[in-house]
Amino acid sequence: MMEKMIFGRYIPVDSPLHKMDSRAKLLTIIIFIAIVFFANNVITYSLLGLFTLLAILSSNIPIKFLFNGLKFLFWIILFTFLLHIFFTKEGDIIFKLGFITIYEYGLRQAIFISLRFFFLILVTSLLTLTTTPIEITDGIESLLKPLKKVKFPVHELALMMSIALRFIPTLMDETDKIMKAQMARGVDFSEGSLKERASAVVPLLIPLFINAFKRAEELATAMEARGYRGGEGRTKYRLLKWGKIDTIVMLLLLLVTVLLILFRS
Amino acid sequence: MVKEIVQFKDVSFKYEKGAPYALDHVNFSVYEGEWLAIVGHNGSGKSTIAKLMNGLIFPQAGSISVDGREIAEETVWDVRDMVGMVFQNPDNQFVGTTVQDDVAFGLENHGIPREDMVARVHDSLKKVKMNEFLDQEPHHLSGGQKQRVAIASVLALRPKIIILDEATSMLDPRGRSEVLDTVRELKSNNNLTIISITHDLEEAVKADRLLVMNRGTVYREGTPSDIFLMDEELMKLGLDIPFTQKLIKRMREQGFHVPEEILQEDKLVDYVWRLTQEI
């Protein structure tokens, strides 16, 4: 199941979206999330749909692959769809069968809210699919830079993020190893009541935590030995480049926003 | 006269008040361009020496100087520029998300301009033969490869001294020889001083000089051939002698007069070959 799930993974293919600056992508997503809520009629929703479709097409990620990977999220959409359709009681009745009554406004609302979800999930997952974690970190650091003026520790946050990202696979491996080691000693992780399962996690969590502390200490020593003294006076190896495509995307997004505001009813 | 690059003068150190001394009045020098191996059992104070040399901890008594500069709070960053350290665990010293980010980390800390940085990253990765792994993530690399990246990131800072703090102890035999060969090649090409801390005496045979630590004191100092003559005494210190040494010892017991300067396998092979010629 884990192999099929693509939410939060990075797919290295060559595409215009992959080449975009991570700052532009982050900004696009923030703005997109905001304007999704402006849409309230057919024209505005099709506008958003067009934008989403364009984004997917320019990511060069096979649509089938994308939908397969996001399958489990569509269940959530279906759930909200059903909630809306059955519990909104406004407008004309369009369908009635036994205790099920569907109202016109309910159907409308259900379709629109689901579409909203659908667009949001697609666009946000495109971010992680086309951007490496380190690029996202760099982008966030760069976008948060103005906050330095109010003494927000931007560099520290970015460093913590990149170290956290770098250690995810290492800690996953370790979890797996500890789990197998404890299973070899007779700990059962997959059976028993809720309480038994919860207590089975203890021999997994404690060594994991202790090891994490040890790792942190060793890493700090190694960083210090390599001359790390905090954010002051550091240069950056990674370079963010704002290209033509980034400007085009931002302009396109601006156009969509303006049209959305104009056409919303 | 060879220059002394590191000097320990009467250094004492303990980790906590009331605890026994981890190092007790230690005196020794390291000379420029040599390969010094510090050996000893667990808890003999080897790793403490490494940390003291880099100013990660400070001694309670005595003084340490690196390239003529005494280590103190004010000079510690200059000293760290001169001394690079490779630690034991390949995973826990990898800071960057990818190989090139990790090598660049030290350079970023020193405020090196970007163009310079790119050249240095590529150069030092080439020197450890890891230049094809630029964008590789650490969890895809083997232990030996990670240690070579660690060496590259130390190398990029152009230190005069590289300390290997049990850098090969978590590696398999192949990874170990890969790393040691890399270090040896770098040493001869860049005029580096290498201080390797180890309890693997096979590794120590190839050093220029050995320092045997026991319970926080320098027990013995000398060339590998001097040290391996100690034989039984070494075993008592909790150290094992290398295979070649054991073989030579057995041969001597059988009545062969193996010369004392023979330490390594290839020389022993030569000697045995000459012996068979005589017969």
Side-chain angles (χ1 to χ4, degrees):
Chain A
M1 181 215 161
M2 286 301 242
E3 284 76 47
K4 268 196 183 161
M5 202 175 85
I6 57 166
F7 192 67
R9 257 175 59 191
Y10 172 69
I11 312 290
V13 287
D14 188 39
S15 83
L17 262 197
H18 281 78
K19 287 200 191 82
M20 262 179 79
D21 191 313
S22 58
R23 285 171 299 182
K25 278 192 263 193
L26 280 166
L27 275 178
T28 309
I29 280 172
I30 294 166
I31 296 170
F32 187 82
I33 290 171
I35 62 171
V36 154
F37 294 96
F38 286 161
N40 61 356
N41 57 23
V42 180
I43 302 176
T44 45
Y45 270 107
S46 29
L47 221 76
L48 284 178
L50 209 68
F51 186 81
T52 311
L53 188 72
L54 203 69
I56 293 172
L57 288 180
S58 59
S59 73
N60 273 0
I61 290 167
I63 292 178
K64 209 175 151 197
F65 176 76
L66 186 69
F67 278 74
N68 268 335
L70 295 173
K71 231 184 230 162
F72 82 103
L73 287 170
F74 296 146
W75 288 107
I76 303 173
I77 297 180
L78 189 71
F79 183 67
T80 56
F81 179 85
L82 292 175
L83 274 185
H84 273 283
I85 207 162
F86 292 134
F87 290 99
T88 317
K89 294 185 163 49
E90 270 174 73
D92 306 323
I93 298 172
I94 49 166
F95 182 78
K96 199 171 159 103
L97 185 91
F99 61 94
I100 301 169
T101 13
I102 292 171
Y103 294 84
E104 189 211 336
Y105 189 75
L107 181 67
R108 208 179 116 99
Q109 196 68 355
I111 292 173
F112 280 174
I113 299 288
S114 314
L115 274 178
R116 215 176 256 183
F117 252 120
F118 188 62
F119 294 155
L120 278 179
I121 288 171
L122 281 178
V123 172
T124 43
S125 51
L126 274 183
L127 172 76
T128 54
L129 286 172
T130 63
T131 325
T132 56
I134 184 79
E135 277 177 319
I136 297 179
T137 317
D138 282 342
I140 292 175
E141 184 183 5
S142 172
L143 286 178
L144 288 181
K145 228 171 224 163
L147 285 182
K148 247 187 194 160
K149 289 216 175 78
V150 290
K151 299 221 165 113
F152 186 81
V154 177
H155 161 77
E156 281 77 6
L157 183 79
L159 185 77
M160 279 195 294
M161 275 180 67
S162 73
I163 288 175
L165 287 171
R166 173 248 169 282
F167 272 99
I168 288 172
T170 314
L171 289 176
M172 292 266 257
D173 277 356
E174 193 174 289
T175 313
D176 197 49
K177 239 184 253 168
I178 297 174
M179 219 161 140
K180 280 183 183 142
Q182 301 290 31
M183 273 155 79
R185 292 186 179 91
V187 177
D188 196 347
F189 288 104
S190 58
E191 270 166 42
S193 66
L194 202 64
K195 203 182 149 207
E196 279 168 344
R197 279 203 203 188
S199 59
V201 176
V202 174
L204 171 68
L205 279 187
I206 290 179
L208 203 60
F209 268 102
I210 292 173
N211 273 346
F213 279 122
K214 229 171 94 191
R215 274 181 204 282
E217 197 180 335
E218 278 180 33
L219 185 72
T221 314
M223 282 168 68
E224 222 181 302
R226 272 155 75 183
Y228 179 72
R229 305 195 227 188
E232 286 303 304
R234 288 186 96 227
T235 41
K236 279 194 76 68
Y237 180 67
R238 288 188 168 270
L239 213 56
L240 295 167
K241 248 193 237 139
W242 190 278
K244 215 188 258 166
I245 175 164
D246 301 302
T247 318
I248 294 170
V249 171
M250 295 314 284
L251 285 176
L252 191 69
L253 193 68
L254 185 74
L255 183 74
V256 172
T257 315
V258 170
L259 288 176
L260 263 182
I261 295 170
L262 281 179
F263 285 107
R264 75 189 295 246
S265 49
Chain B
M1 178 64 200
V2 226
K3 210 171 117 200
E4 284 179 352
I5 195 153
V6 181
Q7 251 185 323
F8 270 57
K9 269 190 210 143
D10 238 7
V11 173
S12 295
F13 178 85
K14 53 180 162 188
Y15 283 95
E16 280 162 53
K17 265 194 186 144
Y21 277 104
L23 287 182
D24 194 3
H25 298 283
V26 169
N27 282 294
F28 72 91
S29 301
V30 186
Y31 302 99
E32 197 165 25
E34 77 168 339
W35 182 311
L36 176 77
I38 302 178
V39 295
H41 57 87
N42 287 338
S44 60
K46 313 182 296 273
S47 290
T48 311
I49 289 181
K51 283 185 191 151
L52 282 166
M53 238 180 256
N54 208 349
L56 291 166
I57 47 178
F58 294 98
Q60 274 96 14
S63 71
I64 303 158
S65 53
V66 174
D67 207 16
R69 225 173 295 184
E70 191 173 321
I71 301 183
E73 296 275 358
E74 310 84 59
T75 56
V76 72
W77 294 105
D78 300 327
V79 168
R80 277 183 203 161
D81 285 351
M82 286 185 278
V83 185
M85 251 176 119
V86 181
F87 295 91
Q88 179 177 19
N89 190 323
D91 252 322
N92 295 356
Q93 55 178 315
F94 207 109
V95 191
T97 342
T98 64
V99 167
Q100 50 177 337
D101 286 306
D102 190 57
V103 179
F105 177 75
L107 299 170
E108 290 179 329
N109 291 336
H110 285 81
I112 308 233
R114 203 191 108 89
E115 303 81 63
D116 219 12
M117 219 168 355
V118 176
R120 280 211 208 177
V121 166
H122 286 258
D123 183 52
S124 41
L125 279 173
K126 203 173 201 165
K127 277 184 184 155
V128 299
K129 300 187 186 72
M130 286 292 289
N131 48 335
E132 278 162 29
F133 297 86
L134 278 179
D135 282 314
Q136 199 66 265
E137 289 165 1
H139 60 280
H140 292 304
L141 299 174
S142 72
Q145 287 174 327
K146 274 181 237 178
Q147 284 306 58
R148 266 150 63 198
V149 173
I151 293 170
S153 48
V154 160
L155 212 61
L157 294 167
R158 305 198 175 136
K160 288 186 173 170
I161 305 163
I162 293 183
I163 304 174
L164 305 172
D165 187 0
E166 303 199 30
T168 58
S169 68
M170 290 176 78
L171 305 178
D172 58 13
R174 186 190 287 172
R176 181 175 303 183
S177 65
E178 262 176 29
V179 168
L180 289 176
D181 288 345
T182 308
V183 174
R184 196 161 300 122
E185 211 180 301
L186 289 172
K187 180 185 174 292
S188 55
N189 292 343
N190 301 286
N191 190 33
L192 290 163
T193 307
I194 307 285
I195 300 167
S196 94
I197 289 168
T198 177
H199 43 218
D200 176 21
L201 289 190
E202 303 275 357
E203 186 180 325
V205 185
K206 288 158 186 162
D208 301 324
R209 207 154 59 88
L210 249 76
L211 202 68
V212 183
M213 295 291 298
N214 184 37
R215 296 186 189 182
T217 54
V218 179
Y219 185 83
R220 198 68 175 269
E221 210 181 323
T223 59
S225 48
D226 294 340
I227 299 294
F228 291 125
L229 282 178
M230 288 163 67
D231 202 23
E232 299 276 297
E233 225 177 321
L234 272 179
M235 304 277 261
K236 270 184 208 144
L237 290 177
L239 294 163
D240 195 16
I241 47 173
F243 173 73
T244 319
Q245 301 306 310
K246 282 185 192 156
L247 187 63
I248 292 170
K249 197 181 151 200
R250 283 284 182 84
M251 285 171 74
R252 284 196 186 126
E253 280 166 8
Q254 299 288 325
F256 292 99
H257 298 283
V258 185
E260 272 174 22
E261 69 271 12
I262 292 182
L263 279 172
Q264 286 169 27
E265 203 180 289
D266 47 348
K267 283 189 186 158
L268 184 66
V269 171
D270 261 8
Y271 171 75
V272 173
W273 183 75
R274 247 180 283 126
L275 260 179
T276 51
Q277 295 292 304
E278 279 166 29
I279 299 162

